[in-house]
Amino acid sequence: MNEAALIARLAAELGVALQAQRATLATAESCTGGGIGYAVTQVAGSSAWFERGFITYSNQAKEQLLDVPAALIAAHGAVSEAVARAMALGALARSGAQLAVSVTGIAGPGGGSRAKPVGTVCLGFARTAPDGAPQVTMVTRHFAGDRAAVRTQSIIAALQGLLDLLQIKVDAAASGDCSTHGTNVGTFAAPRRSRRSAPYAASRRTPTGSRR
């Protein structure tokens, strides 16, 4: 299955899962530039479960639209789990959605460093718990390839992570490197790391509250 087909499949599965749980989604995107929102709105009927998307490419946009503190960006950098967490929480707070995904990364070809090389992408996954409190987890991924490849893999990782958040099992054999898992619906689960395989590289997951 090629990447475009995989994205379409994951987006369709996500729509089914969200409608089954009567939940809606908000996105907060930086390096993907609206790619996640584009993928989900390619699904017919997505207006029933996609609430809104924020494209916050600049630091100022993150601060103004998602209430990401400028001091947080200064301390950790725009590409960090701390900022991904704040973006996801901001998307929840600024929308009527019950789930949110955020992505901030270095797609290249420039902008990388020894600490954060090109291909570094931080994602945040958040949902509103039954008691109304937000729950969020973050993951850092390191993708190989050119700018387009990094952006495409980031979109796939975001959709995979949302399915894990909803705890929906997708047939890995049919959908390629999509290692999700199913447990009891309605409880929070951190996005599960895919098995190491090309073009994906290793990732590191940090639970909420931890520091890099």
Side-chain angles (χ1 to χ4, degrees):
M1 181 178 292
N2 64 35
E3 290 174 329
L6 175 57
I7 288 172
R9 177 185 171 88
L10 293 172
E13 293 280 356
L14 179 60
V16 171
L18 286 166
Q19 289 186 88
Q21 298 191 29
R22 298 182 180 180
T24 56
L25 170 69
T27 59
E29 302 184 60
S30 185
C31 67
T32 48
I36 302 167
Y38 176 80
V40 298
T41 55
Q42 284 286 91
V43 180
S46 55
S47 60
W49 49 270
F50 181 60
E51 212 274 344
R52 71 185 68 181
F54 301 89
I55 303 176
T56 54
Y57 208 70
S58 68
N59 290 346
Q60 185 178 33
K62 293 176 180 66
E63 295 163 19
Q64 293 178 347
L65 298 180
L66 299 173
D67 293 324
V68 178
L72 190 72
I73 297 174
H76 298 274
V79 179
S80 63
E81 292 182 358
V83 169
R85 180 181 188 276
M87 289 171 65
L89 291 173
L92 278 186
R94 291 294 189 97
S95 70
Q98 293 76 48
L99 288 93
V101 60
S102 65
V103 58
T104 177
I106 305 169
S113 66
R114 180 174 296 181
K116 297 178 183 179
V118 170
T120 301
V121 177
C122 299
L123 300 103
F125 300 90
R127 75 178 300 168
T128 302
D131 63 1
Q135 297 173 313
V136 60
T137 190
M138 298 81 69
V139 61
T140 295
R141 302 291 299 269
H142 299 281
F143 297 121
D146 61 12
R147 182 177 180 84
V150 170
R151 285 159 56 95
T152 297
Q153 291 170 84
S154 298
I155 293 166
I156 292 170
L159 296 173
Q160 287 180 286
L162 286 166
L163 284 166
D164 269 343
L165 188 72
L166 290 165
Q167 302 177 6
I168 301 300
K169 184 175 179 62
V170 177
D171 184 359
S175 59
D177 187 21
C178 177
S179 303
T180 60
H181 65 290
T183 54
N184 294 327
V185 172
T187 58
F188 177 79
R192 185 175 174 180
R193 186 171 58 200
S194 298
R195 289 187 293 272
R196 187 183 180 100
S197 61
Y200 303 100
S203 65
R204 182 177 57 79
R205 186 174 56 204
T206 302
T208 183
S210 298
R211 298 187 65 179
R212 294 189 61 189

